[in-house]
Amino acid sequence: MSDQIATLGQLLDGAGTQWRAFDIGRHITKLDKKQFLAIEQAQVPYPYPLAGHAWLAIQFWDTKASKEPYVWFLKFPLDEQSMLVSASRDHFADMVIQALGTEITGEQADGKLDNNPYVFTPNANKLAAFNAQVKVLLKQPASQYYEHAQLYFSGKIGFDNWQSVALQGIADFALRLDSDTNLSNLQKAWAHLPIEVLQPLSAMLEHVEIPTSMSELLVDYTQAAISNNDTVAITAALRSVSKGQAQGLCAQLVDTVLSSPVRHDSDVLLTIAGRCFKQLENPERLHVFMDNCAHHQKIEELFPSIFADLVAIPTIRPHLLGLLRKENRSETLARAIGRLFS
């Protein structure tokens, strides 16, 4: 590898591009360049590991050309301390240089990295949310499906007529809650939305810092969903509130769910671990959460996988390791922890 290029940042700078990096493993979160450089130089652990990898979207564009930005969706392995395995990054950079040289934004770049082992295609929900977010960041108009989605959420075509609403339209609507009457329309519509809309919508809202009023609505809505034992509605609410501006309300919602009759449900527990993970940085809440996981009937599968997922997150790791030494644990939790090491 050439002496000049030691990081992806240098590769992109050297090719004369403007670029930005996002984590897209859990939430779509923009990584600032200083933070990204520190991750690349293994000075800090990757903040949002998922399944032992960093899941990145790198968006870049040629400052001289007016073409749409390019995006690389990349997954790189992390070590057990959640540090980037730099050999993989170097291997990727080498492959880029061999395939494209430094002309990474030219016509010849299209399709050249299709078989690259570090390139992946996000699922449809993630892709739609990312496209919507990028258009907002670049101050570009939303997709052609946006207006019909707005019409749907306004209630004017009937909430049962969801078949004509495109996934990209739902994503554009969710990422533009501060436009027009989108927020108030959503608040009026929420309780009437069928599951076919609620699930993809919550998969978009988990990337949005929803305003406090929306989080308040979701807290109330979840109380009703708990009474009805409606785990689909509860997981949709948890996902939607997870990146909200009012993280205190997210914590309140998680606490409510963790002390409710659905507290041992695997979908509920997996949603909290995957999306509301920030709330598990609190040692007491983490203890309650892990105890609930230990009481799940399929403990042999669920507990080890959630433990492995959370112990990789740098902000949760010390608290989870602290739980291993804690005295006042339930017998069930003590046994579940014992099984991890037997």
Side-chain angles (χ1 to χ4, degrees):
M1 199 169 164
S2 65
D3 294 337
Q4 298 86 352
I5 292 174
T7 65
L8 292 182
Q10 287 177 353
L11 175 67
L12 292 156
D13 290 339
T17 69
Q18 293 283 345
W19 58 275
R20 41 166 94 101
F22 301 83
D23 169 73
I24 64 165
R26 291 173 188 269
H27 299 298
I28 297 173
T29 305
K30 191 164 173 285
L31 301 167
D32 78 52
K33 288 195 174 179
K34 267 212 221 54
Q35 182 186 21
F36 189 66
L37 181 66
I39 290 166
E40 281 216 74
Q41 293 178 331
Q43 290 166 350
V44 296
Y46 192 74
Y48 314 112
L50 183 66
H53 285 77
W55 304 79
L56 293 163
I58 312 267
Q59 184 198 34
F60 58 97
W61 57 98
D62 185 342
T63 39
K64 296 183 287 294
S66 57
K67 277 189 72 173
E68 284 290 286
Y70 292 81
V71 181
W72 286 336
F73 294 110
L74 305 173
K75 54 180 275 212
F76 291 117
L78 302 170
D79 68 15
E80 55 282 358
Q81 299 292 323
S82 299
M83 294 289 190
L84 191 72
V85 177
S86 50
S88 314
R89 187 267 326 273
D90 296 349
H91 185 212
F92 171 75
D94 261 350
M95 292 175 86
V96 171
I97 291 164
Q98 281 167 16
L100 305 174
T102 54
E103 299 294 310
I104 60 174
T105 58
E107 294 297 324
Q108 87 295 346
D110 295 335
K112 282 277 178 73
L113 298 177
D114 286 354
N115 297 322
N116 190 294
Y118 304 105
V119 172
F120 76 101
T121 305
N123 67 34
N125 284 341
K126 198 71 66 76
L127 212 46
F130 185 76
N131 287 337
Q133 186 155 335
V134 162
K135 284 196 181 320
V136 171
L137 280 172
L138 296 175
K139 299 186 170 49
Q140 293 177 340
S143 75
Q144 71 212 57
Y145 308 108
Y146 173 49
E147 280 179 14
H148 186 71
Q150 279 187 302
L151 194 62
Y152 173 81
F153 287 107
S154 74
K156 289 180 183 137
I157 56 177
F159 294 120
D160 291 339
N161 297 320
W162 52 266
Q163 292 89 341
S164 60
V165 185
L167 186 65
Q168 189 61 57
I170 294 175
D172 290 323
F173 178 83
L175 271 295
R176 291 171 193 258
L177 287 186
D178 52 358
S179 304
D180 304 325
T181 52
N182 289 353
L183 177 62
S184 62
N185 285 347
L186 178 61
Q187 289 173 326
K188 288 182 204 121
W190 188 273
H192 309 289
L193 296 175
I195 182 174
E196 294 86 356
V197 176
L198 201 55
Q199 287 186 310
L201 174 63
S202 63
M204 305 307 157
L205 289 174
E206 68 188 22
H207 307 299
V208 179
E209 292 179 8
I210 62 171
T212 302
S213 60
M214 188 69 210
S215 294
E216 286 170 345
L217 179 146
L218 290 169
V219 169
D220 294 341
Y221 168 82
T222 305
Q223 294 285 10
I226 288 169
S227 315
N228 300 329
N229 210 26
D230 185 348
T231 53
V232 172
I234 294 163
T235 54
L238 285 165
R239 291 180 79 165
S240 301
V241 83
S242 61
K243 205 184 176 186
Q245 291 169 12
Q247 283 295 303
L249 287 172
C250 180
Q252 187 185 328
L253 187 63
V254 170
D255 289 340
T256 300
V257 171
L258 288 178
S259 60
S260 77
V262 299
R263 65 188 181 275
H264 301 149
D265 180 87
S266 54
D267 288 342
V268 167
L269 293 169
L270 289 164
T271 302
I272 292 172
R275 298 294 177 263
C276 303
F277 59 94
K278 284 240 179 298
Q279 306 309 328
L280 300 177
E281 292 170 8
N282 173 298
E284 284 74 35
R285 188 176 296 119
L286 179 66
H287 184 169
V288 172
F289 174 78
M290 293 308 293
D291 195 74
N292 284 355
C293 292
H295 281 84
H296 186 265
Q297 66 267 43
K298 289 199 174 146
I299 182 180
E300 292 81 2
E301 298 155 29
L302 187 84
F303 192 88
S305 68
I306 284 184
F307 185 92
D309 181 47
L310 293 179
V311 80
I313 300 175
T315 49
I316 297 177
R317 183 184 178 87
H319 305 305
L320 196 51
L321 295 177
L323 192 57
L324 303 183
R325 298 182 294 277
K326 209 167 171 188
E327 305 270 298
N328 59 342
R329 299 178 309 210
S330 72
E331 189 52 44
T332 311
L333 178 56
R335 270 203 309 274
I337 289 171
R339 257 192 230 105
L340 288 174
F341 299 100
S342 60

